[in-house]
Amino acid sequence: MSVGTSSAPGTRRTARPPASRPGDPAGLGIDPDQLPDGLVVADEHGRVICFNAAAVRITAVPAEQALGQRLEEALPLEDLEGRRWWQLTDPYGGLAIRVGQPERNLLLPGGREVLVSARYVRTRPTGPVRRVVVALRDTEARRRTERSHAELIATVAHELRSPLTSVKGFTATLLAKWERFTDDQKRLMLETVDADADRVTRLIAELLDISRIDSGRLEVRRQPVDIGAAVGRHIQAYVAAGQPADRFLLRVQHPLPDLWADPDKIDQVLSNLLENAVRHGEGTVRIDITPSASPREREDAGTSVTVSDEGPGIPEESMNRVFTRFWRGSKRGGTGLGLYIVKGIVEAHGGTITVGRAPGGGAEFRFTLPVAAPAYLA
């Protein structure tokens, strides 16, 4: 893309060499098209002399059309109240002590929102403006983040409301009418309060995990982990809760490499994957634990755990969204945060996790943990 210069209003000439181009006042030879943000530069007459590729993408205005135009015509920005921004700021005729405009949300024609900041370049303090340098940023990424945060807040508020309402209702009833209930009725209400308190505790733990994952502060305290025994404990818990023992099939391929991992977090991963298979799958839940070979076929490269069921599985079009926030699938309850946290925990261990279709037609989750040093050697 060419960068034009203007020696007088209405005239344009060929761009100068990179060392002195208007879009590169420091003479570093940087191509404005290499910048990630939109860059628009106007000369002392208010005519556009630089309109880089990112500005073209953000504004949908061709560079050839913008170059040589007056700044307010090439970039007709309005504030959120519909006022013309260049008339409000008046960079060329405003206060001589102004050095620019801070970043703010403005609107392009058609109502598209962009983040805009401006810098006024003067050859001497309080002198006339020689250049107006405008930076443009697309707001879509910020909007996605804001929507994600809003969804998280709404989900948490919804998930907290139900158990807290139950806790408040039962405790208020017991306090007001304690003598009217039998011991069995009191026990039932207190057990319900206890279960709802556990539900709130789990939700808070999920939120803390998400915060640590998103900020990269999820700590992994590696210790020796017997992954087969860990899976066995989860199976025993399900059997004790009433699930038939023959619904689970655990297969361990020996020898397995020594696994150094955070036992509590690995339990969290196993708990989530097995719960999904039990609650949302059908038939036999298979858990296969095998050594995972590296591309060089080293047997001690890591350990893989595969959890599969014989249910309807996950639709192909949903496979790429399984590990995102709030994914619940069809007729799934919960917050939709569990698999997002599972992925974060596995990746914090340096591992990988995938989802696919099991041979029996159900869902198949497979995570691989690499060989790693214990915490005191890491």
Side-chain angles (χ1 to χ4, degrees), residues 16-289:
R16 297 175 181 137
S20 59
R21 66 171 54 164
D24 179 26
L28 299 178
I30 297 175
D31 186 349
D33 287 345
Q34 296 174 349
L35 299 176
D37 295 333
L39 175 66
V40 180
V41 181
D43 63 12
E44 64 270 25
H45 304 293
R47 295 191 176 274
V48 175
I49 57 175
C50 177
F51 203 85
N52 75 342
V56 172
R57 173 179 54 80
I58 293 170
T59 64
V61 175
E64 295 78 11
Q65 177 180 326
L67 290 171
Q69 274 197 325
R70 296 196 62 81
L71 183 58
E72 62 268 24
E73 296 171 356
L75 208 59
L77 297 166
E78 295 183 353
D79 65 14
L80 300 184
E81 298 177 3
R83 298 173 296 184
R84 301 298 293 269
W85 193 56
W86 296 116
Q87 293 179 3
L88 289 174
T89 58
D90 191 13
Y92 293 94
L95 293 175
I97 59 173
R98 285 181 180 170
V99 295
Q101 295 291 332
E103 186 176 72
R104 61 180 299 178
N105 285 26
L106 297 173
L107 300 176
L108 290 167
R112 184 177 180 184
E113 196 168 333
V114 291
L115 292 170
V116 181
S117 58
R119 178 76 176 176
Y120 305 157
V121 180
R122 307 174 190 271
T123 55
R124 66 180 188 280
T126 72
V129 173
R130 304 295 295 177
R131 295 284 189 272
V132 174
V133 182
V134 183
L136 305 175
R137 288 185 179 178
D138 199 336
T139 62
E140 187 57 34
R142 180 177 292 189
R143 283 184 173 277
R144 285 196 298 267
T145 301
E146 291 173 350
R147 284 196 298 267
S148 178
H149 289 165
E151 289 174 2
L152 181 60
I153 293 170
T155 299
V156 171
H158 174 76
E159 292 294 326
L160 284 174
R161 184 182 296 115
S162 177
L164 289 178
T165 299
S166 172
V167 168
K168 177 63 178 177
F170 278 121
T171 53
T173 301
L174 286 170
L175 288 171
K177 304 177 181 179
W178 179 266
E179 301 297 336
R180 299 185 185 182
F181 296 107
T182 66
D183 288 344
D184 288 342
Q185 289 173 325
K186 293 174 183 175
R187 175 177 294 276
L188 177 61
M189 283 191 269
L190 288 174
E191 287 175 346
T192 304
V193 169
D194 184 61
D196 284 334
D198 286 342
R199 183 177 167 189
V200 172
T201 300
R202 286 194 301 271
L203 179 59
I204 292 172
E206 286 184 344
L207 294 176
L208 291 173
D209 285 337
I210 288 176
S211 173
R212 295 185 184 109
I213 289 169
D214 288 348
S215 63
R217 294 185 292 105
L218 186 65
E219 293 185 3
V220 175
R221 302 184 182 277
R222 298 184 188 273
Q223 301 174 30
V225 174
D226 185 337
I227 192 72
V231 173
R233 289 194 298 271
H234 284 279
I235 292 176
Q236 290 172 7
Y238 278 110
V239 172
Q243 289 288 333
D246 60 1
R247 186 177 182 190
F248 300 92
L249 177 60
L250 171 60
R251 297 181 292 196
V252 181
Q253 180 181 333
H254 292 288
L256 291 173
D258 294 335
L259 178 61
W260 291 83
D262 189 314
D264 293 334
K265 290 182 172 57
I266 296 304
D267 266 345
Q268 192 174 349
V269 171
L270 294 173
S271 175
N272 192 287
L273 296 182
L274 287 170
E275 182 180 0
N276 283 342
V278 170
R279 291 180 56 189
H280 308 300
E282 298 173 3
T284 301
V285 176
R286 291 180 171 82
I287 306 98
D288 293 288
I289 304 174

